[in-house]
């Protein structure tokens, strides 16, 4: 396999800090997108803007085609890290490390451009917007991604997580959960609080629903199956002596298996309808599904190849097992659109002894080094596991 250039590139840390200081919300990432496109062009890539994202294509003779994907949106979170390079935008922060993803992916793009003598094939450096709201991958696919770039044989992506900086973690199978948000509206009948018999109280019905929903994970799905059903918001009424007309629940569901997912969603609808029926509502409840994230299900052979490349590059002790994370991603929409296998791995982001702060927390602050070097080398070495032409043995 080709030797990678010396990392990090001297522009990487300043770029990371710049991106961190200038976060942009999902599907509004104009400056970030322009910056990515400009740098890819400088590295010699053929650049296209697709559905709010950017794809750089580097063709280098016959061979396989590999796509890497990095996301670049930030979150509506007010930063409290106190870092000298804190966000300069009120209430917006790169609290999920997507600034790190861009920094590493652009580094890998330069590394691939610089080592063209030692690999063959086509490399696609894809950068997507709007991951946090499950909109960006879909938007790129809807804008014709599949017909605008060469079809990859495999898609790869990574996420900075709570592990030790300098390590990567991989696993075949489900690594991230499917995520579904549901807005449930219960239609009751308003009345004076002293005359409940003249109304249909949606607050009482909502309360029964919240309690009964807890039985899905304990009674409906198998004991070994994973599922989370959370009612994150419940809203009805405004005054103690008025029975309101309606109640609204916001639900969030996480699962690691499509059959379990279907079972849980069916049970939710059944319970809500049943409780509404029991309460005598004048109208059927409404269900509005949103922020729907697919399951991230790593292909076994692809993941084995990535893991082997990491072990060869970083050493056995730097490659750990990735336990499934009950968070969700829209990455798999991209490989699914092409109908190709994929692997998604974790990039350790925290120093030894540091208490890792979870993604989306206002204090989320990954260690810059060696996270940048590791994330850059991880992408490049994984890509070269398909495109590298020199057998490992000839390098020794
Ligand atoms: Zn996130
Ligand atoms: Zn993220």
């Amino acid at each position: 396999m080709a030797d990678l250039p010396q990392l990090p590139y001297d522009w990487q840390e300043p770029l990371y800090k710049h991106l961190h200081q200038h976060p942009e919300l999902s599907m509004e990432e104009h400056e970030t997108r322009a910056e990515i496109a400009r740098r890819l062009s400088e590295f010699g890539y053929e650049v296209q803007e697709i559905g709010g994202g950017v794809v750089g294509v580097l063709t280098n003779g016959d061979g396989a085609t590999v796509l890497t994907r990095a996301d670049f949106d930030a979150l509506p979170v007010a930063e409290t890290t106190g870092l000298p390079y804190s966000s300069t935008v009120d209430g917006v922060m790169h609290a999920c490390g997507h600034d790190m993803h861009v920094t590493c992916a652009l580094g890998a793009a330069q590394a691939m451009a610089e080592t063209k003598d030692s690999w063959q094939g086509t490399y696609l450096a894809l950068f997507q917007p709007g991951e946090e709201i499950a909109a960006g991958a879909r938007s790129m696919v809807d804008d014709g991604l599949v017909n605008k770039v060469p079809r990859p044989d495999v898609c790869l992506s990574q996420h900075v997580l709570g592990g030790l900086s300098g390590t990567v973690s991989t696993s075949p199978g489900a690594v991230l959960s499917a995520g579904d948000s549901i807005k449930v509206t219960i239609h009751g009948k308003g009345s004076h609080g002293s005359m409940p018999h003249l109304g249909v109280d949606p607050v009482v019905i909502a309360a029964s629903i919240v309690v009964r929903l807890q039985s899905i994970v304990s009674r409906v799905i198998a004991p070994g199956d994973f599922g989370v059903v959370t009612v994150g918001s419940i809203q009805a009424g405004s005054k103690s002596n008025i029975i309101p007309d309606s109640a609204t629940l916001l639900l969030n569901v996480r699962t690691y298996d499509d059959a379990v997912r279907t079972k849980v969603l069916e049970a939710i609808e059944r319970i809500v309808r049943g409780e509404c029926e029991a309460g005598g509502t004048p109208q059927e409840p409404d269900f509005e599904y949103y922020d729907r994230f697919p399951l991230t299900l790593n292909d076994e052979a692809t993941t084995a190849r990535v893991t082997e490349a990491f072990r060869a590059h970083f050493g056995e002790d730097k490659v750990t097992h990735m336990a499934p994370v009950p968070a969700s991603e829209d990455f798999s929409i991209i490989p699914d659109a092409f109908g190709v296998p994929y692997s998604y791995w974790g990039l350790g982001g925290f120093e030894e002894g540091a208490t890792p702060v979870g993604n989306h927390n206002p204090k989320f602050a990954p260690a810059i080094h060696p996270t940048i070097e590791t994330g850059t080398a991880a992408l490049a070495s994984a890509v070269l596991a398909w495109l590298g032409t020199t057998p490992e043995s000839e390098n020794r």
Side-chain angles (χ1 to χ4, degrees), residues 69-95:
R69 167 274 201 182
D71 43 9
F72 57 76
D73 55 330
L75 285 159
V77 169
E79 179 160 0
T80 59
T81 61
L83 289 167
Y85 53 92
S86 287
S87 169
T88 59
V89 186
D90 262 355
V92 184
M93 177 192 178
H94 269 296

Side-chain angles (χ1 to χ4, degrees), residues 11 13 22 62 68 73 82 87 98 111 117 122 130-131 152 165 179 183 190 209 217 258 270 280 309 321 358 360 382:
W11 53 263
E13 181 174 334
H22 301 95
D62 292 340
T68 62
D73 55 330
S87 169
H98 299 184
D117 288 349
T122 301
E131 184 280 327
S165 179
K183 178 181 175 184
I209 289 172
V217 172
D258 280 332
R270 193 170 61 240
H321 174 76
H360 293 203

